[in-house]
Amino acid sequence: MATASAVRPSLGAAFRLTSSNIPKRISPSLTQTSPLSTAAPLLKRHTYPNARSNKDMSKSRGQSALRRTGLRWRLSVSDDPLPKPKPREELPPVEVDPDHGLWDFFPNRETVAASPEDDMKHGRGWMVEELRGKSWEDLHKLWWVCVKERNRIATGAWERERGRLGFGKSEAQGRDREVRITMRGIKHVLTERFYAWEDAVKLAENDPEIDLSGKGRPFTPKEYLEGEAAEEEVLEFKAEEEGEAVVPPPQGKAQGEAARL
Amino acid sequence: MQPTRALLGMRYRKLRLTTKDVNKGFYKGTGSGSMGRHTSRGGYIIEWNKVRTFVCPDLTGFKLTPFVTNNVKRTYGQYDTKLGPKDPQEYLARWKSENGLD
């Protein structure tokens, strides 16, 4: 069967035989004409013996990125049009999550730092006496509210410094001081409460109403029991001290879960 | 290459010690705290009970702020005993009344 190459002349052959590619002085072997006397020597370029090469040793001659000269040799993509960047106004708006947690670092969505007037609008820090009445959950949450407020103040100070926005450092420091006073108070209250608890556990060992062993209820108030039962409990306590067998105190009327301290 | 001229000679002795100074035995921390222990082969084992974990509670619906209004005067607590708020008897009495019979 006839192969494709036999039907169509190869591209290389076609290239060679186009009129523009044939050198003006063709060698006698390609054509059928008689050899000319000057054919062969004319093909060779005239060079002197021991002549130095004439090539440009500097491959990047004239090329400068700073002066934007462009490339020295054309590339296959040289004629391709360069893409032009879109102006900033035409770019699609950046999608922002309105509920992102990082928004809490700023006082509002428009500014990076609170103005001095807004920073001055604060009260005083919590007093220790005011914090003593609060539960663990409230104190824990208040602590983290303080942490977030301090982060907001610190972000504002950083941005004010970086962007040279102007005054406001002194007001921010005053606000930060009050927040730190509150945090100090929270730590004090929790430490105090812990130490008092430690001492109370020690005291409770000698308290007849309290039983922290895990068996039965931790607290059995004396008023709950009847008169004889209260005396019985006191006797039991004395017996316990003397090392005799202990009868566990009777259960109170109210049913409740044994809440360990 | 040469060290900075300001650090040459006797002037270096007047600067504060860094973690890179002195021979074996001198330890200077960087304020991050101890998170574990070194092994004899130069490694480090992290002890997870020493590593800090920060637990932030859910703050939705929490109304307290770090500040108290200036209209409320500062009042100090009044306690019967000398120990005051640190008194364990007070603590026990309060526990009994508020928490004992859960």
Side-chain angles (χ1 to χ4, degrees):
Chain A
M1 70 184 172
T3 56
S5 56
V7 174
R8 289 179 236 138
S10 68
L11 280 175
F15 183 74
R16 265 178 263 128
L17 293 175
T18 48
S19 57
S20 57
N21 285 333
I22 298 173
K24 293 224 166 85
R25 297 176 214 146
I26 27 179
S27 83
S29 56
L30 283 180
T31 59
Q32 300 299 321
T33 52
S34 57
L36 302 167
S37 57
T38 56
L42 278 172
L43 187 62
K44 193 174 156 204
R45 280 176 75 108
H46 176 64
T47 52
Y48 293 101
N50 303 326
R52 59 174 168 80
S53 69
N54 212 12
K55 66 177 181 182
D56 188 357
M57 300 294 283
S58 170
K59 282 189 184 159
S60 58
R61 183 183 297 280
Q63 278 184 257
S64 172
L66 293 178
R67 294 174 199 271
R68 300 177 195 170
T69 54
L71 295 171
R72 196 166 164 188
W73 309 109
R74 287 169 66 86
L75 301 173
S76 60
V77 297
S78 283
D79 291 333
D80 289 359
L82 279 177
K84 284 205 167 25
K86 260 190 181 173
R88 195 182 282 265
E89 296 81 36
E90 287 179 38
L91 290 172
V94 177
E95 283 173 24
V96 178
D97 177 14
D99 297 327
H100 204 286
L102 289 178
W103 282 119
D104 288 347
F105 277 95
F106 303 106
N108 53 55
R109 302 286 160 113
E110 282 83 48
T111 52
V112 292
S115 63
E117 293 83 23
D118 288 336
D119 256 349
M120 278 184 68
K121 290 174 188 163
H122 63 84
R124 60 168 174 80
W126 285 68
M127 283 186 77
V128 174
E129 186 55 36
E130 293 160 356
L131 289 166
R132 277 197 190 111
K134 291 293 174 192
S135 64
W136 156 256
E137 284 79 20
D138 274 351
L139 290 175
H140 192 195
K141 290 184 184 179
L142 184 58
W143 174 270
W144 282 99
V145 167
C146 292
V147 165
K148 289 176 78 167
E149 181 61 32
R150 284 196 71 202
N151 278 339
R152 220 168 286 135
I153 296 167
T155 310
W158 178 267
E159 289 289 340
R160 205 179 292 117
E161 174 86 22
R162 188 176 74 99
R164 298 181 206 174
L165 304 176
F167 296 114
K169 185 176 180 179
S170 166
E171 289 84 355
Q173 279 178 341
R175 193 184 180 93
D176 191 57
R177 182 174 174 267
E178 296 305 319
V179 178
R180 277 189 291 123
I181 285 169
T182 307
M183 291 174 97
R184 184 188 73 188
I186 293 170
K187 254 194 178 174
H188 180 101
V189 162
L190 290 173
T191 317
E192 203 178 62
R193 223 177 257 181
F194 181 78
Y195 289 165
W197 171 77
E198 279 188 323
D199 298 339
V201 166
K202 239 184 179 175
L203 253 191
E205 290 167 15
N206 301 330
D207 193 329
E209 289 178 352
I210 298 176
D211 170 28
L212 295 173
S213 61
K215 308 170 212 158
R217 306 165 71 224
F219 174 52
T220 336
K222 256 195 226 138
E223 294 83 47
Y224 235 56
L225 314 163
E226 260 92 51
E228 324 83 61
E231 285 171 349
E232 196 183 348
E233 199 187 24
V234 172
L235 285 169
E236 276 166 8
F237 176 72
K238 284 185 184 159
E240 195 184 1
E241 276 186 329
E242 290 161 24
E244 291 176 36
V246 177
V247 176
Q251 292 291 319
K253 283 176 189 170
Q255 297 295 317
E257 295 169 69
R260 289 215 57 134
L261 181 63
Chain B
M1 296 188 72
Q2 294 290 321
T4 319
R5 291 286 295 260
L7 299 178
L8 286 176
M10 295 299 284
R11 277 178 280 188
Y12 191 71
R13 288 176 67 101
K14 300 197 176 181
L15 296 172
R16 302 195 67 195
L17 284 176
T18 66
T19 62
K20 301 290 188 184
D21 297 324
V22 194
N23 285 329
K24 180 176 163 186
F26 176 68
Y27 167 74
K28 182 169 185 179
T30 46
S32 57
S34 168
M35 304 283 175
R37 60 178 192 274
H38 294 271
T39 60
S40 58
R41 285 160 158 238
Y44 195 79
I45 296 173
I46 294 175
E47 285 165 27
W48 292 100
N49 62 319
K50 279 191 183 181
V51 173
R52 279 150 243 177
T53 321
F54 297 99
V55 179
C56 183
D58 188 18
L59 295 173
T60 55
F62 190 62
K63 292 191 186 131
L64 298 180
T65 65
F67 310 107
V68 172
T69 171
N70 279 314
N71 298 331
V72 172
K73 296 287 174 207
R74 290 172 198 266
T75 48
Y76 296 90
Q78 289 169 344
Y79 297 89
D80 306 321
T81 53
K82 185 192 163 201
L83 282 174
K86 299 172 193 162
D87 190 17
Q89 281 286 7
E90 276 281 334
Y91 187 96
L92 266 184
R94 202 174 155 189
W95 176 75
K96 284 178 186 176
S97 66
E98 289 179 17
N99 224 11
L101 298 166
D102 255 343

